[in-house]
């Protein structure tokens, strides 16, 4: 048995008489109830012939059932591939054609997948929990694999990268890598069995899967599952449920700032933010409005979640903190290591970091180091500063423009709800700086807003950084965790400009 699955079992046994998980209806389950349910699932897989190296697609909303299903599959040696529960029948079918899953696990309200009728049979599955049933599709012609306990080096999880800067890649994470990633979180956040957290971000994302789910379970804490974030209920439930910490995104932070609710008396030690850059101006406004420590961090799927986090006792704004549990280098374009203060590509190596992708991507590694594609620098005290994605940097007339710096300047204008700065083609300069703005109020006349934008840009930005195009829109394309898909946005805007 892998150390990961053994420790997950120990959590349920040790907390047999203690409430460990709460479902969306605020029903608590003890460790003994959860252990019984997990064993029912494990026996189910064994009876159906799901075992060593079977890949099972999981498309569920956040729930207690979700974490128990995953644990049971890991214990029989299977591999889990979680995907967005909003995936369409066509998307699921395309994945199945590519990867030939042994089973599919879907929400009960998903209509029967007629497109898979020739390959799978729907097996209804009743749950003993106070949660909806789930649907299970088992492959009709399936080679029964032996039920083997997994080793630490076996793959446990397959996830797609977010695809914000290119085609998503399949990341295979082993039991050992997931365990190391979870303990990096436990150590940096000083998690104990007295901690209690919401899972608000989707479980098919590495943040919720490892940082909220596994780190809490391995530290014997308590989990409260919610299908999605509710701005209206957030502060009320933080108080009533005595939550001690939560992992959020900058998008959620921005939503909380747009509302009038204030936190009541609460037990929060901190909130952490990840999955996308947090603009300094947003961080400052949050700190001014709410007396809750907001801790910035940095992670990626390929590192089993967390790479760096600000120390709880000494957080520094405008940084993502110090490296947790791995090695880091800042490299120039020739892979030479750069000194403190110099910006280059971030490279990683460690027990939680992959050494290859499931689909060969040799250009993503150099001499055993993962090349993240992120740009950053280390200061003299070891804090990491993120400068953006290498593919998102705008190159105008041979000069690099960091879109985050432009966004942080312009977001101060009160009429802006959201902003994304991208590079669009320019015949003379190669790229031009283009700002796509979602205003708080729709208007057909933007002359006054454009005047304010140009005035602020001229005052605070270098000439090369100043946007030459402003586009007003009703939305920005985002992935499931609220991260702006800049590459997709740039493609859409470039096509619009081409057709104009």
């Amino acid at each position: 048995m892998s150390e990961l699955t053994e420790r997950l079992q120990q959590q349920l046994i040790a907390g047999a008489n203690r409430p460990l998980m709460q479902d969306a209806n605020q029903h608590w389950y003890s460790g003994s109830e959860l252990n019984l349910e997990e064993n029912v699932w494990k026996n189910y897989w064994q009876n159906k012939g799901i075992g060593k190296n079977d890949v099972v697609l999981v498309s569920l909303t956040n729930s207690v059932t979700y974490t128990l299903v995953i644990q049971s599959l890991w214990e029989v040696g299977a591999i889990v591939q979680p995907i967005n529960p909003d995936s369409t029948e066509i998307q699921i079918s395309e994945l199945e054609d590519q990867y030939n899953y042994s089973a599919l696990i879907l929400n009960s309200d998903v209509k029967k997948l007629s497109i898979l009728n020739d390959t799978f049979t729907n097996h209804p599955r009743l749950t003993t929990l106070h949660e909806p049933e789930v649907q299970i599709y088992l492959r009709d012609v399936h080679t029964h694999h032996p039920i083997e306990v997994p080793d630490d080096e076996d793959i446990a999880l397959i996830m797609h990268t977010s695809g914000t800067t290119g085609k998503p890649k399949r990341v295979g994470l082993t039991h050992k890598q997931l365990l190391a990633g979870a303990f990096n979180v436990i150590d940096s956040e000083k998690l104990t069995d007295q901690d209690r957290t919401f899972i608000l971000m989707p479980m098919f994302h590495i943040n919720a899967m490892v940082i909220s789910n596994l780190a809490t379970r391995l530290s014997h804490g308590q989990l409260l599952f919610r299908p999605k974030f509710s701005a209206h209920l957030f502060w009320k439930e933080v108080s009533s449920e005595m939550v001690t910490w939560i992992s959020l995104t900058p998008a959620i932070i921005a939503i909380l700032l747009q509302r009038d609710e204030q936190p009541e008396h609460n037990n929060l030690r901190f909130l952490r933010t990840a999955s996308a850059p947090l603009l300094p101006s947003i961080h400052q406004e949050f700190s001014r409005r709410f007396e809750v420590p907001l801790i910035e961090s940095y992670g990626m799927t390929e590192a089993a979640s967390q790479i760096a986090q600000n120390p709880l006792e000494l957080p520094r704004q405008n940084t993502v903190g110090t490296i947790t549990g791995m090695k880091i280098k800042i490299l120039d374009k020739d892979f030479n290591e750069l000194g403190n203060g110099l910006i280059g590509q971030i490279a990683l190596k460690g027990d939680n970091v992959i050494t290859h992708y499931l689909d060969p991507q040799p250009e993503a590694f150099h001499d055993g180091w993962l090349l993240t594609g992120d740009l950053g620098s280390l200061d003299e005290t070891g804090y990491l500063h993120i400068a953006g994605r290498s593919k998102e940097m705008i190159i105008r007339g041979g000069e690099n423009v960091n879109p985050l710096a432009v966004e942080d300047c312009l977001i101060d204008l009160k009429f802006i709800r959201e902003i994304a700065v991208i590079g669009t083609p320019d015949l003379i300069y190669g790229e031009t700086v283009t700002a796509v703005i979602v205003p708080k109020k729709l208007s057909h006349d933007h002359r006054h807003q454009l005047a304010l934008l140009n005035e602020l840009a001229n005052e605070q930005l270098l000439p090369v950084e100043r946007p030459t195009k402003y586009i007003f829109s009703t939305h920005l394309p985002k992935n499931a965790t609220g991260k702006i898909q800049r590459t997709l946005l740039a493609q859409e805007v470039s096509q619009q400009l081409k057709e104009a």
Side-chain angles (χ1 to χ4, degrees), residues 31 63 74 89 92 110 122 131 158 246 255 264 290 316 330 357 382 394 397 414 457 483:
S63 64
W74 286 344
E89 182 177 357
I92 293 174
V110 174
N122 190 355
E131 290 190 319
I158 295 175
I246 313 174
I255 291 171
E264 302 172 9
F290 308 118
R316 293 185 181 175
I330 307 296
Y357 287 96
I394 302 167
K414 299 302 182 184
K483 186 187 297 183

Side-chain angles (χ1 to χ4, degrees), residues 415-427:
F415 68 84
I416 296 177
R417 182 182 299 278
E418 291 183 295
I419 182 172
V421 174
I422 56 175
T424 53
D426 185 278
L427 291 175

Side-chain angles (χ1 to χ4, degrees), residues 186-479:
I186 291 170
D187 293 342
S188 61
E189 297 181 359
K190 298 179 172 57
L191 298 182
T192 72
D193 60 357
Q194 298 302 303
D195 278 301
R196 178 182 288 193
T197 189
F198 282 126
I199 294 191
L200 300 176
M201 296 167 64
M203 285 273 285
F204 67 87
H205 187 268
I206 196 68
N207 189 308
M209 178 64 73
V210 175
I211 292 172
S212 300
N213 175 47
L214 288 183
T216 300
R217 292 197 57 188
L218 295 173
S219 59
H220 293 249
Q222 295 172 301
L223 281 172
L224 296 88
F225 289 86
R226 297 295 184 266
K228 60 183 179 180
F229 164 72
S230 169
H232 173 66
L233 295 174
F234 181 79
W235 290 118
K236 180 180 178 181
E237 287 201 319
V238 162
S239 175
S240 63
E241 298 294 348
M242 297 181 289
V243 171
T244 62
W245 72 281
I246 313 174
S247 185
L248 303 175
T249 66
I252 291 177
I253 297 298
I255 291 171
L256 292 175
L257 285 173
Q258 292 169 10
R259 300 182 63 87
D260 294 330
E261 291 94 344
Q262 291 286 332
E264 302 172 9
H265 174 72
N266 63 77
N267 291 358
L268 282 174
R269 294 197 292 120
F270 63 93
L271 298 176
R272 75 185 299 282
T273 176
S275 297
L278 180 66
L279 296 178
S281 55
I282 297 294
H283 196 159
Q284 290 166 9
E285 186 179 354
F286 186 91
S287 298
R288 181 181 61 80
R289 285 259 320 262
F290 308 118
E291 295 181 0
V292 178
L294 181 59
I295 304 298
E296 292 187 65
S297 63
Y298 163 60
M300 63 190 306
T301 305
E302 291 88 337
S305 71
Q306 186 170 286
I307 295 168
Q309 180 180 290
N310 266 277
L312 300 181
E313 65 280 2
L314 192 61
R316 293 185 181 175
Q317 286 193 20
N318 305 330
T319 83
V320 292
T322 55
I323 304 305
T324 56
M326 71 201 77
K327 298 178 182 177
I328 185 173
K329 285 183 179 180
I330 307 296
L331 304 177
D332 66 15
K333 59 182 178 61
D334 297 317
F335 306 114
N336 299 310
E337 188 170 4
L338 297 172
N340 291 339
L342 297 177
I343 296 176
Q345 182 170 193
I346 299 169
L348 303 171
K349 182 186 287 188
D351 288 342
N352 58 310
V353 182
I354 65 168
T355 57
H356 63 279
Y357 287 96
L358 296 183
D359 308 302
Q361 302 278 342
E363 70 280 1
F365 300 88
H366 177 75
D367 196 25
W369 291 77
L370 170 69
L371 305 176
T372 65
D374 291 325
L375 299 175
S377 64
L378 288 168
D379 64 25
E380 64 281 357
T381 59
Y383 282 69
L384 178 63
H385 301 249
I386 300 296
R389 291 284 301 179
S390 59
K391 293 182 181 179
E392 291 174 356
M393 294 296 282
I394 302 167
I395 304 176
R396 178 166 172 78
E399 293 189 63
N400 288 344
V401 176
N402 182 356
L404 299 181
V406 182
E407 292 172 11
D408 190 51
C409 169
L410 300 180
I411 194 67
D412 283 342
L413 292 171
K414 299 302 182 184
F415 68 84
I416 296 177
R417 182 182 299 278
E418 291 183 295
I419 182 172
V421 174
I422 56 175
T424 53
D426 185 278
L427 291 175
I428 298 175
Y429 295 103
E431 285 187 302
T432 189
V433 181
T434 300
V436 183
I437 293 166
V438 178
K440 292 179 180 177
K441 293 183 180 179
L442 295 177
S443 170
H444 295 293
D445 187 352
H446 298 293
R447 284 176 296 179
H448 177 62
Q449 295 169 337
L450 287 170
L452 293 174
L453 287 162
N454 284 317
E455 181 181 3
L456 183 59
N458 290 338
E459 285 179 357
Q460 298 190 18
L461 296 174
L462 296 171
V464 71
E465 296 175 320
R466 297 168 190 165
T468 56
K469 287 188 175 71
Y470 291 101
I471 296 174
F472 290 86
S473 179
T474 57
H475 72 283
L476 299 174
K478 298 174 183 176
N479 67 11

Side-chain angles (χ1 to χ4, degrees), residues 52-116:
K52 187 75 168 180
N53 294 328
D54 276 314
V55 181
V56 178
L57 186 78
V58 177
S59 181
L60 299 174
T61 51
N62 291 355
S63 64
V64 175
T65 298
Y66 203 143
T67 190
L68 297 180
V69 165
I70 289 172
Q71 179 184 342
S72 67
L73 286 166
W74 286 344
E75 288 185 5
V76 299
I79 300 167
V80 175
Q81 182 174 344
I83 66 167
N84 192 332
D86 292 329
S87 298
T88 66
E89 182 177 357
I90 295 296
Q91 290 170 328
I92 293 174
S93 180
E94 288 175 347
L95 286 170
E96 153 54 23
D97 287 343
Q98 246 181 319
Y99 303 121
N100 299 313
Y101 301 111
S102 300
L104 314 175
I105 307 175
L106 311 176
N107 284 324
S108 59
D109 58 355
V110 174
K111 68 177 182 178
K112 188 173 182 180
L113 299 186
S114 58
I115 220 165
L116 301 176

